[in-house]
Amino acid sequence: MAHESQDTISIGDYLLERLSQIGVQSLFGVPGDFNLACDLVEDHPNIDWIGNCNELNAAYAADGYARVKHGSIGAVLTTFGVGELSAINGIAGAFSEHVPVVHIVGVPSTEQQTDKPMLHHTLGDGRYDAYLKAAQQVTWSQGAIFSTNTAASEIDRVLTDCITSARPVYLTLPTDRVFTKIPRGKLDTPLLPHPPKNDPDTEEFALNEIQTLVEQAGSEVVILVDACTIRHDVTEEVWELIQRTGFPVYSAPMGKTAVPEDFERYGGIYVGSLSHPEIKEKVENAKLVLSIGGLRSDFNTGNFTYRTSRATTVELHSDHTRVRYALYPGLGMKQLLPKLTHRLHPLNSPASAASVPPFRAILPKTGEDPLGEEVISHLYFWPRISQFVRPEDVVVTETGTSSFGALEMPLPAKTIYVSQILWGSIGWATGATLGAALAARERGLKGRTLLFTGEGSLQLTVQEFSTAMRHGLTPILFILNNRGYTIERHLHGMDRKYNDVVNWKWTQLLDSYTVHTKSELDALLKDESFANATGIQLVEVVMDKYDAPVPLLRQTELSGQTNHYAA
């Protein structure tokens, strides 16, 4: 940079240069007196300081950014103690769902950390490592820049861990080290993921076993893709496998859009007992299931109601492979998948001719909707929205009603779908939408960013609308207003006051629309000036207080029994 000498660079600028090299163009956070070297960010030619309303939203935004900015990571900068603890829930969600985010924390000077005075933002008892210990629970690795001799190596180590593991990492930067000069030579060597290499003999043995199982299964082979297909960057390898083998492919909820949902061999969402009957039958009766990137959480498996046997399953993961009952630690799918495709392609397996029922959005016919012909029901809303979504749109759904409704919504090729099914932090989607919209703009995507959330969830993180406006973003925000926490109602306390929320006057917040009927919704979605999203827009969708998507009703019934809420 201009103010650095040719051979040296400040530690703060070294960190920013490394972030820029791995594709980070937006840095989220809130300024504080221990991280006021934000001016380095503001002066950087390739990284924008976004500036959030609070640190929790900043962490959510970094999460959403990383999910859309494929090949890069999210980055959030907070101050010591109060800032980092505010962000920690968002970082934990990223850890849970395999999302690469670096959490940079501005901390007191090295002298203060040694002498331990009773500084503000401390616990007042000298435990300067308390927040590090908290971070250790929700990050893959941690780094502390103390010595100038190791600063560059420490930054490189932590960021390499982030891009390799697809998990959050934590890095502290003391106030007296931000402007300290170090050699810049390491910047000439790019940071790349460093997954362990597969052992050739083990890999060959596993490939032989899988090929034998495929041959024995004949026409009854299916592929099931899940979240880590996306998170661990194997979508291209999986797409090659699917195209060359022609095997029927299905997705778990967290793997939605890992495969184009308008692809002729794609059959829809498998979620255990919550699945459509024809999907359930195809997956559970298969003689062999090639499971790729699975994350078998409760909401991702229909409350653990998968009916696939280990005896008929091959699991491919980022750091291990399981072939029926045999476990192969360290055998990663990134290197294994191309070789598996090469093995299976010439087989001309009968599975390539197996029928795959099309995954289609079907609007209810006259008389089929129990809520009537004009009330906006979930039975109508999600298939209708499916027709509104365009290629390269980014679709963000809030945990609960929206994420379950979206399971019924086929999306066109090149759509990016973003949801938080495992961690499920209420309000996450609004902050994530900010990050997702920025990442989409940086990638040059031609589509829009669409948020689907409830009026209860939105009230937790609504402040980030102002951040989106400040940065010229133009998402369309669909607010499903059903007067409360619908998923919680169906779990427990259908008419309890704790599941009610204050009804805000949403139309006074932004350029807004309120739709009460199917006709009004349909007319709005057909309006080209609205659909083209040239400015930020809010749509209040008024729905029945007790209506919910069918998958949500099934899931809450199962969860209620598991939680022993059911009588």
Side-chain angles (χ1 to χ4, degrees):
M1 296 179 67
H3 60 282
E4 306 289 356
S5 71
Q6 185 175 0
D7 299 323
T8 63
I9 188 171
S10 71
I11 293 174
D13 278 327
Y14 183 95
L15 173 57
L16 294 178
E17 282 300 300
R18 278 306 198 193
L19 292 177
S20 179
Q21 287 178 353
I22 57 178
V24 174
Q25 293 174 255
S26 296
L27 182 57
F28 304 94
V30 178
D33 62 338
F34 292 117
N35 71 352
L36 282 179
C38 308
D39 46 7
L40 288 181
V41 184
E42 194 165 308
D43 293 340
H44 196 278
N46 300 320
I47 299 178
D48 290 331
W49 171 252
I50 302 306
N52 298 88
C53 299
N54 60 59
E55 292 88 354
L56 175 60
N57 289 350
Y60 288 161
D63 180 315
Y65 181 92
R67 292 176 192 245
V68 175
K69 193 76 178 285
H70 296 161
S72 185
I73 65 173
V76 58
L77 173 62
T78 69
T79 197
F80 180 60
V82 293
E84 58 183 305
L85 292 184
S86 178
I88 198 170
N89 176 51
I91 300 300
F95 183 91
S96 173
E97 302 221 347
H98 293 246
V99 180
V101 173
V102 58
H103 185 186
I104 305 162
V105 182
V107 298
S109 69
T110 54
E111 180 181 358
Q112 289 170 324
Q113 291 186 59
T114 301
D115 296 341
K116 297 180 173 49
M118 192 180 293
L119 287 181
H120 62 289
H121 299 343
T122 70
L123 297 171
D125 60 2
R127 288 185 296 144
Y128 275 61
D129 63 347
Y131 314 131
L132 167 63
K133 290 180 177 178
Q136 288 171 341
Q137 310 307 310
V138 296
T139 54
W140 187 259
S141 67
Q142 306 79 37
I145 299 173
F146 238 73
S147 168
T148 56
N149 294 329
T150 59
S153 297
E154 190 75 344
I155 291 169
D156 290 357
R157 176 186 67 82
V158 169
L159 292 180
T160 299
D161 284 348
C162 187
I163 60 178
T164 300
S165 67
R167 296 282 184 99
V169 295
Y170 175 89
L171 183 66
T172 60
L173 181 57
T175 56
D176 62 337
R177 290 291 182 258
V178 175
F179 297 100
T180 302
K181 299 294 183 64
I182 59 173
R184 60 179 303 137
K186 284 181 174 289
L187 290 173
D188 295 332
T189 304
L191 297 184
L192 299 171
H194 287 295
K197 297 293 183 183
N198 289 349
D199 176 73
D201 292 338
T202 305
E203 187 176 66
E204 181 71 13
F205 185 84
L207 286 168
N208 289 336
E209 292 292 296
I210 297 169
Q211 180 176 337
T212 299
L213 291 173
V214 169
E215 292 171 342
Q216 292 174 348
S219 63
E220 298 181 57
V221 181
V222 301
I223 295 173
L224 180 63
V225 296
D226 206 343
C228 288
T229 301
I230 302 169
R231 306 288 195 272
H232 291 278
D233 190 30
V234 295
T235 52
E236 291 185 7
E237 289 84 353
V238 170
W239 182 231
E240 185 77 5
L241 172 68
I242 292 166
Q243 287 186 301
R244 288 188 172 274
T245 63
F247 292 165
V249 58
Y250 299 87
S251 169
M254 291 178 69
K256 186 173 174 65
T257 67
V259 173
E261 297 192 333
D262 52 8
F263 178 53
E264 61 184 8
R265 304 297 290 165
Y266 178 74
I269 304 291
Y270 175 67
V271 56
S273 65
L274 278 62
S275 310
H276 284 285
E278 65 273 17
I279 296 173
K280 189 173 185 294
E281 189 274 333
K282 290 286 185 181
V283 174
E284 295 181 357
N285 290 339
K287 289 183 179 178
L288 184 67
V289 177
L290 298 178
S291 172
I292 304 176
L295 269 179
R296 294 196 174 187
S297 70
D298 53 355
F299 281 12
N300 203 37
T301 63
N303 225 53
F304 310 114
T305 58
Y306 269 26
R307 294 294 179 264
T308 55
S309 167
R310 178 161 288 180
T312 59
T313 302
V314 172
E315 296 181 25
L316 306 182
H317 297 276
S318 63
D319 58 0
H320 71 279
T321 296
R322 185 183 289 276
V323 181
R324 303 178 71 195
Y325 299 101
L327 176 65
Y328 302 93
L331 199 64
M333 60 184 173
K334 184 72 173 177
Q335 301 161 48
L336 185 69
L337 275 166
K339 297 170 186 175
L340 181 61
T341 300
H342 180 73
R343 289 288 196 93
L344 300 183
H345 176 222
L347 294 181
N348 295 316
S349 168
S352 63
S355 64
V356 182
F359 183 42
R360 298 285 185 266
I362 302 175
L363 290 169
K365 297 177 182 178
T366 302
E368 288 183 343
D369 194 329
L371 293 183
E373 295 309 306
E374 276 303 305
V375 174
I376 303 174
S377 63
H378 287 281
L379 189 66
Y380 174 86
F381 181 76
W382 298 105
R384 181 62 186 88
I385 289 295
S386 180
Q387 299 173 359
F388 177 72
V389 179
R390 301 171 179 171
E392 296 195 16
D393 279 352
V394 177
V395 176
V396 186
T397 61
E398 175 63 287
T399 184
T401 303
S402 297
S403 61
F404 278 97
L407 300 183
E408 307 287 282
M409 181 173 68
L411 297 171
K414 298 184 180 180
T415 304
I416 298 175
Y417 178 69
V418 178
S419 68
Q420 195 190 60
I421 291 174
L422 174 52
W423 187 245
S425 183
I426 184 171
W428 165 86
T430 305
T433 296
L434 171 68
L438 283 163
R441 185 166 68 184
E442 291 170 13
R443 287 184 57 184
L445 299 181
K446 297 178 181 177
R448 308 153 300 180
T449 300
L450 312 176
L451 166 65
F452 298 88
T453 186
E455 88 288 6
S457 297
L458 182 56
Q459 290 182 23
L460 276 76
T461 48
V462 68
Q463 309 96 320
E464 291 312 312
F465 284 175
S466 63
T467 312
M469 295 170 69
R470 177 154 53 95
H471 290 278
L473 301 173
T474 61
I476 301 178
L477 316 163
F478 290 91
I479 302 173
L480 311 187
N481 189 344
N482 46 22
R483 294 178 288 160
Y485 299 124
T486 298
I487 186 171
E488 306 296 345
R489 288 193 197 282
H490 287 278
L491 279 168
H492 188 69
M494 184 67 77
D495 292 299
R496 291 289 185 177
K497 292 179 181 179
Y498 53 68
N499 283 329
D500 296 337
V501 299
V502 175
N503 195 31
W504 289 14
K505 295 180 179 179
W506 296 107
T507 55
Q508 297 183 19
L509 188 62
L510 293 169
D511 290 338
S512 304
Y513 307 85
T514 297
V515 291
H516 295 85
T517 67
K518 292 173 183 172
S519 299
E520 292 174 352
L521 175 64
D522 187 61
L524 179 63
L525 298 181
K526 289 178 178 177
D527 184 332
E528 284 299 313
S529 62
F530 166 78
N532 289 333
T534 56
I536 187 170
Q537 300 172 103
L538 183 152
V539 182
E540 180 185 17
V541 183
V542 179
M543 308 186 85
D544 182 83
K545 181 176 181 179
Y546 301 110
D547 189 31
V550 172
L552 183 145
L553 295 175
R554 295 174 181 162
Q555 177 64 57
T556 53
E557 181 181 359
L558 292 172
S559 295
Q561 293 169 0
T562 303
N563 295 339
H564 304 292
Y565 287 150

